[in-house]
Amino acid sequence: WQEVLESTGPGRHQHLQSQLETWHSGRWIIDAVEIGRGSGGTVFSGTDKRLGKIAMKFSCNAQPSRLVREAALMQRVAHAHVCKLHEHHLSEDGRLLCMVLELLEAGSLAQRIVKSQGRRIREFEVVRMGYDVLSALAWMHQMKVIHRDVKPINIMLTQVDGRTIYKLIDLSISAVEQEARDDVSQ
């Protein structure tokens, strides 16, 4: 699976689409263009016949439990300012995880900073961003989860009713307090 995710040819798209068909025939269509890549996986936009536009994060790892753990953490910390996980699926061999996520089309804070070309972000927008991110982190801490990778590339933007909303993504290296570990590992 690692070779498939790292390839850039047209075969990658077809291979991933055929895997999607084994989970839910005809329900999802993956777009051929990758919209993100990080240590936790590769993200594509796509369409779900029930939900509309979605993001699909594909991760592969020699330890399937690590893949499922991230999905369980996302379910545990569901919050208005954490990217929403709709569902997840593990391949039959246990080495490929697909997480079906809400599509956050406005890009990352890192991309916004680059586009600003040194211009300052308006003060009220920084306050709004701080509120959104801190409310997500406060909720995660109440749920005994520590993100451990908050940085501009892991803060995504989306537009709702003309307002920019900030959401955290990528819980792949999050920590769970000892008393909550049993809930996440199940």
Side-chain angles (χ1 to χ4, degrees):
W1 288 112
Q2 189 70 36
E3 290 175 10
V4 171
L5 290 177
E6 289 177 357
S7 70
T8 56
R12 171 175 76 166
H13 173 257
Q14 284 121 2
H15 201 73
L16 292 172
Q17 185 66 48
S18 68
Q19 180 60 53
L20 291 172
E21 294 298 318
T22 67
W23 290 319
H24 287 288
S25 182
R27 182 169 153 206
W28 296 308
I29 299 169
I30 186 173
D31 295 340
V33 178
E34 174 182 310
I35 60 172
R37 177 187 295 258
S39 61
T42 305
V43 183
F44 298 87
S45 61
T47 304
D48 180 306
K49 288 188 176 178
R50 291 182 318 172
L51 301 169
K53 294 296 286 178
I54 56 168
M56 289 180 265
K57 179 179 179 179
F58 291 90
S59 301
C60 60
N61 190 306
Q63 301 172 328
S65 62
R66 291 189 69 198
L67 301 174
V68 175
R69 178 183 173 276
E70 181 180 4
L73 284 172
M74 289 190 77
Q75 288 173 325
R76 179 186 181 93
V77 300
H79 184 272
H81 297 291
V82 175
C83 182
K84 182 177 182 172
L85 171 69
H86 295 293
E87 58 189 276
H88 68 280
H89 298 276
L90 194 61
S91 63
E92 221 173 86
D93 65 7
R95 295 187 318 124
L96 179 71
L97 175 74
C98 176
M99 290 191 281
V100 179
L101 306 160
E102 73 177 307
L103 181 62
L104 304 172
E105 297 184 83
S108 72
L109 178 57
Q111 292 167 325
R112 182 166 180 197
I113 290 168
V114 168
K115 284 181 190 174
S116 73
Q117 299 177 342
R119 290 186 312 269
R120 293 181 182 188
I121 298 173
R122 296 189 316 212
E123 185 177 327
F124 80 91
E125 195 61 34
V126 173
V127 169
R128 182 173 299 189
M129 176 190 354
Y131 175 82
D132 289 355
V133 171
L134 291 173
S135 68
L137 291 172
W139 174 249
M140 291 174 74
H141 293 182
Q142 277 186 299
M143 301 304 294
K144 310 290 188 207
V145 175
I146 300 172
H147 190 284
R148 294 188 353 175
D149 200 20
V150 178
K151 56 188 176 186
I153 198 75
N154 286 339
I155 299 171
M156 298 297 289
L157 291 68
T158 191
Q159 295 290 319
V160 177
D161 298 327
R163 178 177 175 245
T164 301
I165 306 291
Y166 297 87
K167 296 191 177 211
L168 288 174
I169 62 168
D170 196 356
L171 302 181
S172 60
I173 65 167
S174 296
V176 180
E177 287 185 26
Q178 187 60 43
E179 62 191 56
R181 286 184 203 269
D182 293 337
D183 293 340
V184 173
S185 63
Q186 294 176 356

